[in-house]
């Protein structure tokens, strides 16, 4: 069937097409703004449906790349290559499903330059989906780095008071890390003679070369994830970004780092990954414990959630570099789950911010009296953030800790503190914002969720609980590919000691 | 010394075919000069339009030229590389005259001599690109330079322009002197001035220190023309002082011609001395990238900032040449094409900026809120800034991709790391322009933009954004075959 052969191309570039349509929409004033909103919503919804269709068509039993498109393109190096396997397939629906939520949450909170706002978000969607869908290393870089332009503008134009500092910090951290990856990509091209990710996955880089390539990729992904101590751009960017920007940043952009670690670092540089595993464990533990402690003392709700994101990403990196099947499985699950939960939490913050225009924890209290539905939704996401069994947050944390326990019990021991601390900051936040006496006059007139906000949050509540009790849809889709990655990793690092033994 | 020189290889007009574009340009410029002289009124606009037509005609002749070849007993060569670079020179020259059509009066260059001098400078550049002999090289270089010295100082009663012209002349003359000195040494140690015979002479002899000495002087002279650090001192002052249309011209076509010359001299004549000149090029490259990245941060004058930007980009282009390989030259060829397009686009934006009461805008801080007042100009400028940083998927990224690819192939890792980090630093000042235009509130009203500037901006913006689907593949193929003709 022709359509499904080009499904990835359609999903990737449909948002850009929508952006072009928006560009042609003229006029000023409320009418044009509304038209822009409806067009953006329509385009993102269609993309979301197509991405779910992709998930349905995806054959989870196969470890091969599916929906492959492959054409030569620029010179003899860069090709137009698309395809997904179990590692990447889920990130596409994650991105595409969250985009309508972003459009909806910006419906009334963005009143300035609405058309431009929708255009940059649609372009951003193309870059994000493209980064997960492409099978050409140079194109991966193009999509990965391309996200900087729209995100720079989103934070800079529609952000809060200190937006300029925040957006510069975001840009420079990401850009500096990523250009080093660019050099590593070029070195890989000359080593392997191709930029086709499928060929590169089966190419064995010499171990001493792997070390340098690994460092190049690490510079980029560690900033993107972000790993401690490269995370300092994240709280600023989150706090200053508009709600939609925070949602995308936490839910999708951070995941590109984790995806990169699995796709490139673990799969292509197994020897170096093995060699650096303890280093990554130390940084992961530092992220889990230190940023959890930092989260405890935050007075800004968004900043608190941002720090908790860093801590949760610590579990992801820990799981990935445990290198076994549970760890990688858990890391992917944790990323999907965190994508849903952190997005939902930022949406929740956006709800009260739109009403009160402050994110200070101390400005709230007793919201449950006026906003019971909001209190319920916020509770579900808080529990998922804590990792309560029965929510999606539990599965990923459990699997990653289970995996790392096999590799290094001390790492698992310290990671467990993160679970405790996350319960501390998340529940405390919930208590201070939702419970307590409703004493502030300004809060007495606050309204509960309206229909649009319910439409955004309910699906996320459902998904959070569904994946908590029934994680199979995610685990099944990824199982075969994760198995292959873990097996290759084990073979590669197993081969090295064997060779040494044979030499003796 | 060679017996072949006794008889000329030009036997008929048809045998001059490889030089048709140059002949057309030379004859056209002289005819225009006469016409303009005997025309009573000063019709600078008409002459400028005629010059554009002439440049486009020369471009057409160049593109449909049937065959290349070597002419005039070996001093003039037309190969794939020369044609590629000449196409860039002609295109850049035509576009930069086009974008200055409407702004001649307020910049004090609404004289018919302007267009004619531009034509002669372009002719000089084409001879530079096609030179196959140290003497044609010098003739082309001087024809170009002398015309440009005058153009830079054309706004006579403006102190800055006069200063710019004088500075340009003095430093340019110094560089010509160095170049000549180097050329004489090279001739002395190889016994020939013809570029492709020099390499043969070097191969016969062991590499003498005097030859290397000559080569260094020769390259230093050309480095002045491409304004690579440490020979860049004149650039910011001249860019700032010269009238903006002149700056636009200076920044685009002459850079291409000088770079083409640099490539031809290094790869053809000194191909066997790669290890000697490679160190020089690496040094020029690193110094240009780093100095430009840091020096531009403090600039508030838009033209000065663009001057440092152009220095930086020369550094990036030289990253490709540092490799000394065909891939590297291909990278430089792509880089220069994209650089010319971006430069013309930027200057189209700058020329279109003036406040409602007609004051020209020359400083970055005056751009505040441009995105709300003139969204199209601001969007084009922002796209070009992102492209100059080298962010994908814009054209500037693919330019950098190719040159760094070549450097990595030759294991020039230090150069590459310094280069990409310099590009990260340079992002700071490019982003400042985006920041001022998009994040700040408007401070002034902006005047309407002339139609031809809108066309140029739209065209270049479109190509920069859609590079990877529209021009990327054919340009890479063209650059590939151009570079192939040198190796």
């Amino acid at each position: 069937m022709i359509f499904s052969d080009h499904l990835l191309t359609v999903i990737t570039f449909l948002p850009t097409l929508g952006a072009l349509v928006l560009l042609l929409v003229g006029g000023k004033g409320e009418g044009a703004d509304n038209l822009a909103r409806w067009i953006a919503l329509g385009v993102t919804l269609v993309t979301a449906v197509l991405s779910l269709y992709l998930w349905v068509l995806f054959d989870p039993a196969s470890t091969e790349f599916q929906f492959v498109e492959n054409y030569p393109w620029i010179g003899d190096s860069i090709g137009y290559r698309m395809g997904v396997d179990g590692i990447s397939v889920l990130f596409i629906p994650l991105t595409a499903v969250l985009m309508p939520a972003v459009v909806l949450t910006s419906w009334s909170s963005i009143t300035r330059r609405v058309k431009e706002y929708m255009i940059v978000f649609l372009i951003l969607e193309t870059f994000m989906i493209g980064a997960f869908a492409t099978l050409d290393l140079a194109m991966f870089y193009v999509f990965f780095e391309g996200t900087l332009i729209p995100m720079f503008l989103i934070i800079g134009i529609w952000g809060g008071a200190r937006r300029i500092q925040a957006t510069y910090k975001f840009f420079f951290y990401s850009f500096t890390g990523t250009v080093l990856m660019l050099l590593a990509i070029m070195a890989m091209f000359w080593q392997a003679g191709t930029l086709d990710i499928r060929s590169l996955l089966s190419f064995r880089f010499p171990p001493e070369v792997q070390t340098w390539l690994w460092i190049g990729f690490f510079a980029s992904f560690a900033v993107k994830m972000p790993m401690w101590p490269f995370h300092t751009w994240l709280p600023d960017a989150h706090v200053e970004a508009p709600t939609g920007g925070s949602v995308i940043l936490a839910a999708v952009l951070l995941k590109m780092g984790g995806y990169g670690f699995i796709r490139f670092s673990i799969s292509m540089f197994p020897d170096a990954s093995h060699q650096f595993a303890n280093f990554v464990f130390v940084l992961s533990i530092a992220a889990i414990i230190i940023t959890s402690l930092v989260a405890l003392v935050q007075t800004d709700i968004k900043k608190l959630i941002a720090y908790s994101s860093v801590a949760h990403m610590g579990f992801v990196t820990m799981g990935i570099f445990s290198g076994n099947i549970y760890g990688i499985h858990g890391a992917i699950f944790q990323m999907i789950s965190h994508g849903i939960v952190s997005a939902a939490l930022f949406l929740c913050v956006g709800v009260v911010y739109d009403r009160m225009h402050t994110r200070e924890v101390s400005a709230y209290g007793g919201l449950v009296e006026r906003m019971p539905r909001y209190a319920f939704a916020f509770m579900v996401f808080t529990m998922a953030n804590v990792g309560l069994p029965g929510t999606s947050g539990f599965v990923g944390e459990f699997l990653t800790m289970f995996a790392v326990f096999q590799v290094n019990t001390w790492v698992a021991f310290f990671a467990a503190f993160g679970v405790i601390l996350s319960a501390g900051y998340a529940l405390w936040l919930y208590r201070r914002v939702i419970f307590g006496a409703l004493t502030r006059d300004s809060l007495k007139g606050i309204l509960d969720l309206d229909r649009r906000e319910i439409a955004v949050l309910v699906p996320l509540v459902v998904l959070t609980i569904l994946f908590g009790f029934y994680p199979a849809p995610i685990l099944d889709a990824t199982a075969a590919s994760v198995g292959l990655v873990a097996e290759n990793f084990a073979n590669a690092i197993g081969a090295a000691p064997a060779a040494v033994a044979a030499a003796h | 010394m060679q017996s072949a020189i006794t008889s000329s290889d030009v036997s008929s007009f048809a045998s001059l075919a490889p030089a048709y574009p140059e002949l057309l340009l030379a004859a056209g410029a002289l005819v225009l000069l006469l016409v303009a002289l005997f025309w009573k009124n000063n019709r600078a606009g008409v002459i400028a339009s005629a010059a554009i037509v002439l440049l486009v005609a020369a471009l057409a002749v160049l593109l449909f030229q049937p065959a290349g070849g070597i002419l005039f007993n070996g001093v003039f060569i037309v190969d794939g590389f020369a044609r590629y670079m000449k196409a860039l020179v002609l295109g850049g020259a035509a576009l930069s005259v086009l974008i200055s059509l409407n702004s001649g009066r307020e910049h004090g260059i609404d004289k018919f001599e302007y267009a004619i001098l531009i034509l002669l400078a372009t002719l000089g550049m084409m001879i530079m690109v096609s030179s196959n002999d140290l003497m044609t090289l010098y003739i082309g270089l001087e024809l170009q330079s002398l015309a440009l010295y005058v153009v830079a100082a054309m706004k006579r009663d403006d102190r800055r322009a006069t200063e710019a012209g004088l500075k340009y002349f003095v430093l340019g003359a110094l560089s010509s002197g160095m170049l000549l000195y180097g050329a004489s040494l090279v001739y002395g140690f190889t016994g020939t001035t013809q570029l492709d015979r020099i390499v043969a002479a070097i191969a016969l002899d062991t590499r003498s220190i005097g030859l290397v000495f000559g080569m260094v002087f020769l390259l230093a002279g050309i480095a002045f023309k491409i304004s690579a650090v440490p020979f860049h001192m004149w650039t910011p002052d001249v860019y700032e002082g010269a009238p903006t249309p002149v700056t636009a011209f200076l920044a685009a076509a002459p850079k291409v011609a000088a770079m083409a010359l640099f490539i031809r001299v290094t790869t053809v004549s000194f191909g066997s001395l790669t290890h000697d000149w490679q160190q020089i090029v690496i040094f020029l490259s690193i110094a240009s990238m780093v100095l430009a990245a840091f020096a531009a941060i403090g600039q508030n004058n838009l033209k000065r900032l663009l001057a440092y930007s152009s220095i930086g980009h020369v550094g990036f282009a030289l990253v490709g040449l540092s490799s000394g390989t065909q891939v590297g030259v291909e990278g430089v060829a792509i880089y220069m094409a994209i650089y010319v397009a971006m430069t013309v686009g930027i200057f189209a934006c700058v020329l279109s900026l003036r406040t409602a009461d007609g004051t020209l805008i020359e400083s970055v801080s005056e751009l505040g809120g441009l995105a709300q007042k003139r969204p199209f100009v601001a969007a084009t400028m922002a796209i070009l800034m992102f492209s100059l940083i080298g962010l994908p998927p814009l054209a500037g990224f693919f330019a950098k991709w190719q040159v760094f690819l070549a450097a990595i192939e030759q294991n020039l890792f230090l150069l590459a790391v310094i280069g990409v980090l310099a590009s990260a630093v340079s992002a700071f000042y490019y982003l400042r322009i985006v920041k001022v235009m998009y994040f700040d509130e408007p401070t002034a009203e902006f005047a309407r933009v002339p139609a031809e500037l809108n066309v140029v901006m739209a065209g270049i913006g479109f190509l920069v954004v859609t590079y990877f689907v529209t021009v990327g593949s054919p340009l890479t193929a063209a650059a590939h075959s151009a570079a192939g003709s040198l190796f």
Side-chain angles (χ1 to χ4, degrees):
Chain A
M1 184 180 149
I2 300 297
F3 179 66
S4 69
D5 284 350
H6 300 286
L7 188 55
L8 280 173
T9 301
V10 173
I11 295 176
T12 307
F13 291 102
L14 190 64
T16 304
L17 199 67
L20 286 179
V21 172
L22 274 178
L23 211 54
L24 300 177
V25 173
K28 281 197 160 48
E30 195 57 27
D33 287 354
N34 267 329
L35 183 61
R37 291 179 180 119
W38 280 108
I39 292 175
L41 184 64
V43 171
T44 51
L45 277 176
V46 173
T47 314
V49 170
L50 287 175
S51 75
L52 293 173
Y53 181 57
L54 175 85
W55 191 1
V56 171
L57 288 187
F58 181 77
D59 171 17
S62 166
T63 58
E64 294 291 308
F65 283 94
Q66 301 174 34
F67 310 100
V68 171
E69 297 167 55
N70 190 356
Y71 310 101
W73 198 1
I74 296 177
D76 41 13
S77 54
I78 305 177
Y80 181 79
R81 305 184 175 98
M82 300 291 245
V84 285
D85 66 351
I87 309 288
S88 52
V89 66
L90 289 179
F91 293 107
I92 294 171
L94 174 73
T95 311
V97 167
L98 284 172
M99 280 304 295
V102 168
V103 174
L104 281 174
T105 190
S106 315
W107 205 269
S108 54
S109 60
I110 300 293
T111 51
R112 224 160 33 95
R113 305 201 219 173
V114 177
K115 190 177 93 174
E116 287 91 333
Y117 183 84
M118 296 303 170
I119 289 175
V120 289
F121 262 103
L122 287 174
I123 290 174
L124 180 61
E125 184 177 9
T126 287
F127 287 141
M128 293 186 297
I129 296 178
F132 294 121
T134 185
L135 282 183
D136 185 275
L137 202 47
M139 289 313 296
F140 171 76
Y141 180 83
V142 167
F143 287 123
F144 187 88
E145 185 90 318
T147 57
L148 291 186
I149 302 176
M151 207 59 210
F152 176 78
L153 296 174
I154 288 168
I155 301 177
I157 299 179
W158 293 278
R162 288 175 56 251
R163 62 186 193 276
I164 290 169
Q165 193 195 351
T167 195
Y168 264 71
K169 208 166 169 182
F170 161 75
F171 187 92
F172 281 101
Y173 266 83
S174 307
F175 189 69
T176 311
T178 315
V179 289
L180 295 175
M181 177 173 83
L182 178 65
L183 298 181
I185 289 175
M186 292 172 173
M188 286 166 76
F189 173 69
W190 292 116
Q191 285 274 327
T194 177
L195 287 168
D196 187 339
I197 288 178
R198 285 172 303 169
S199 316
L200 289 167
L201 283 171
S202 54
F203 186 83
R204 251 337 237 132
F205 290 97
E208 63 279 7
V209 177
Q210 280 189 24
T211 307
W212 291 103
L213 297 178
W214 191 92
I215 291 172
F217 277 79
F218 179 80
S220 173
F221 298 144
V223 170
K224 204 70 167 186
M225 275 299 277
M227 291 176 75
W228 185 89
F230 309 108
H231 67 283
T232 55
W233 60 272
L234 183 78
D236 288 346
H238 267 314
V239 169
E240 299 305 325
T243 304
S246 297
V247 168
I248 286 303
L249 195 56
V252 186
L253 291 183
L254 306 191
K255 307 303 174 288
M256 297 201 314
Y259 166 73
F261 274 133
I262 301 177
R263 173 71 84 224
F264 303 108
S265 302
I266 283 278
S267 305
M268 295 181 189
F269 322 128
D271 299 312
S273 296
H274 185 60
Q275 184 189 339
F276 283 109
N278 284 330
F279 168 68
V280 174
F281 287 149
V282 169
L283 294 189
S284 304
I285 294 300
I288 292 170
I289 294 181
I290 296 176
T291 52
S292 295
L293 289 172
V294 174
L296 270 176
V297 296
Q298 295 306 316
T299 55
D300 183 311
I301 308 179
K302 257 186 163 180
K303 215 164 194 166
L304 193 151
I305 300 172
Y307 277 111
S308 103
S309 287
V310 180
H312 284 97
M313 288 300 109
F315 283 99
V316 174
T317 46
M318 186 180 81
I320 293 172
F321 282 89
S322 70
N324 58 36
I325 188 162
Y326 304 108
I328 298 170
H329 229 146
I332 294 179
F333 195 94
Q334 171 84 341
M335 283 195 274
I336 302 289
S337 155
H338 181 262
I340 298 168
V341 173
S342 66
L345 283 169
F346 280 116
L347 289 169
C348 285
V349 178
V351 167
V352 288
Y353 182 78
D354 288 346
R355 288 164 173 69
M356 306 302 301
H357 298 285
T358 175
R359 291 179 302 256
E360 287 297 310
V361 177
S362 53
Y364 296 97
L367 285 184
V368 67
E369 293 178 28
R370 292 282 310 167
M371 310 174 75
R373 283 181 292 200
Y374 177 76
F376 172 74
F378 198 33
M379 183 190 71
V380 171
F381 300 129
T382 302
M383 290 308 164
N385 203 27
V386 171
L388 189 79
T391 62
S392 64
F394 171 72
V395 184
E397 283 185 15
F398 175 77
L399 280 173
T400 51
M401 283 173 57
F402 180 69
V404 84
F405 191 83
Q406 297 182 326
V407 179
N408 190 330
T409 44
W410 283 106
V411 176
F413 173 75
F414 285 114
F417 281 98
V419 181
I420 300 168
L421 288 169
S422 77
Y425 62 72
L427 295 178
W428 194 33
L429 171 73
Y430 190 75
R431 196 202 76 80
R432 283 180 293 171
V433 172
I434 304 293
F435 295 138
L438 186 72
T439 50
R440 269 165 244 285
D441 292 334
S442 54
L443 289 177
K444 289 194 173 139
I446 199 166
L447 295 173
D448 204 352
L449 300 178
D450 61 24
R451 271 182 299 173
R452 203 182 58 245
E453 287 159 347
I454 290 174
V456 172
L457 288 176
V458 163
L460 298 175
V461 170
V462 172
L463 287 177
T464 306
I465 296 176
L466 173 74
F467 289 143
F469 281 101
Y470 186 64
I474 296 176
L475 295 179
D476 287 351
T478 53
S481 300
V482 168
L484 184 69
V485 169
E487 187 188 322
N488 287 342
F489 183 72
N491 285 342
I493 63 167
V500 172
H504 277 291
Chain B
M1 72 216 98
Q2 273 91 13
S3 58
I5 293 181
T6 49
S7 71
S8 170
D9 56 357
V10 178
S11 51
S12 67
F13 189 69
S15 67
L16 283 170
Y20 278 168
E22 284 82 358
L23 293 175
L24 175 65
L25 215 52
L30 295 176
V31 170
L32 274 184
L33 181 61
L34 287 176
V35 169
L37 270 181
F38 290 104
W39 210 342
K40 288 278 185 270
N41 309 321
N42 180 4
R43 300 261 176 104
V46 180
I47 300 291
S49 308
I52 296 173
V53 172
L54 199 56
L55 288 167
V56 173
L59 183 62
V61 172
L62 176 78
L63 293 179
F64 295 106
Q65 217 171 24
I70 296 182
L71 263 191
F72 309 122
N73 297 318
V75 299
F76 184 89
I77 184 170
V78 178
D79 52 5
F81 180 74
R83 282 167 69 168
Y84 178 93
M85 287 297 184
K86 277 194 227 174
L88 289 188
V89 166
L90 286 170
L95 282 174
S96 40
V97 179
L98 176 66
I99 60 175
S100 57
L101 267 187
N102 263 330
S103 47
R105 184 172 303 277
E106 61 207 12
H107 289 284
I109 52 163
D110 55 337
K111 308 180 178 72
F112 70 86
E113 290 94 336
Y114 172 69
I116 288 163
L117 285 167
I118 292 285
L119 284 178
L120 291 173
T122 312
L123 177 63
M125 292 176 218
M126 294 179 65
I127 294 174
M128 281 162 75
V129 173
S130 264
S131 64
N132 194 34
D133 191 284
L134 292 173
M135 285 189 288
T136 23
L137 180 160
Y138 186 71
I139 291 171
L141 197 73
E142 283 305 287
L143 178 56
Q144 180 235 201
S145 303
L146 287 170
L148 289 182
Y149 300 147
V150 181
V151 171
M154 197 156 221
K155 197 176 178 184
R156 276 184 318 192
D157 29 6
D158 182 80
R159 270 186 52 219
R160 285 193 309 169
T162 325
E163 184 196 327
L166 188 65
K167 209 167 219 164
Y168 193 24
F169 173 68
V170 171
L171 288 172
L174 177 69
S175 77
S176 295
M178 289 167 70
L179 187 125
L180 271 184
Y181 182 52
S184 69
L185 282 172
V186 170
Y187 172 66
F189 281 90
T190 57
T192 175
T193 54
Q194 201 168 315
L195 296 185
D196 50 2
R197 291 209 181 124
I198 290 174
V199 68
I202 295 172
L204 288 176
D205 198 10
T206 51
R207 180 191 70 129
S208 62
I209 194 75
L211 177 67
V212 176
F213 214 74
M215 182 186 76
V216 170
F217 272 96
L218 199 59
L219 294 189
I222 305 174
F224 255 105
K225 300 293 174 192
I226 56 172
S227 63
V229 177
F231 307 108
H232 67 287
M233 268 71 157
W234 57 275
T235 317
D237 294 335
V238 173
Y239 275 40
E240 186 191 356
T244 312
V246 177
T247 314
F249 183 77
L250 281 179
K255 288 277 163 66
V256 177
M259 188 59 90
L261 194 59
F262 204 118
I263 294 172
R264 193 182 287 283
V265 169
T266 48
T267 56
V268 172
S269 307
F270 302 118
S272 50
L273 297 182
T274 302
H275 284 286
D276 293 297
W277 59 258
Q278 200 177 23
Q279 302 164 24
I280 301 173
V281 177
I282 289 175
F283 171 76
L284 292 175
S285 170
I286 290 181
S288 306
M289 292 186 294
V290 173
L291 182 121
F294 285 98
I297 290 175
Q299 305 300 333
N300 191 37
N301 183 296
L302 207 49
K303 280 154 76 183
R304 251 188 127 73
L305 188 138
L306 289 174
Y308 281 109
S309 155
S310 85
I311 295 171
H313 282 281
V314 163
F316 286 114
L318 288 177
V319 169
L321 186 58
S322 306
S323 67
T325 58
Q326 188 185 337
V327 181
V329 172
E330 183 186 331
V332 184
I334 295 173
Y335 205 104
M336 293 320 285
I338 293 173
Y339 168 78
V340 165
M342 293 192 298
T343 306
V344 171
I346 286 282
F347 277 99
C349 295
V350 174
L351 283 167
S352 73
L353 294 173
R354 69 187 68 126
T355 54
D357 55 5
T359 325
L360 298 167
I361 290 176
E362 287 205 348
S363 68
V364 176
S365 48
E366 286 172 289
L367 296 175
L370 187 69
Q372 291 169 49
K373 297 288 176 186
R374 290 269 167 262
F376 174 69
V377 179
T380 312
M381 199 137 160
I383 286 168
L384 289 168
M385 288 300 153
F386 284 125
S387 176
L388 286 168
I389 294 172
L391 278 176
L394 305 174
F397 163 71
F398 292 94
K400 288 205 169 111
W401 165 264
Q402 199 72 28
V403 292
F404 280 106
L405 201 60
I408 293 286
E409 186 195 18
Q410 293 301 305
N411 297 332
L412 300 169
F413 296 116
L414 186 67
L415 170 71
V417 170
I418 293 176
V420 292
L421 292 181
S423 87
V425 175
S426 74
F428 189 82
Y429 63 82
Y430 291 127
L431 285 183
R432 192 158 67 93
I433 295 180
V434 178
K435 178 226 146 200
V436 171
M437 290 190 305
Y438 274 85
F439 305 167
D440 292 359
E441 289 304 312
T443 50
E445 289 294 322
F446 297 94
R448 279 196 60 241
V449 179
E452 79 276 3
L453 289 184
N454 271 332
V455 171
V456 172
M457 284 190 281
I460 288 176
F462 175 78
L463 290 180
V464 166
V465 171
T466 62
Y467 174 85
F468 58 107
V469 275
T470 50
V471 277
S473 197
L475 182 69
T476 310
H480 185 76
S481 66
S485 70
L486 288 184
F487 286 87

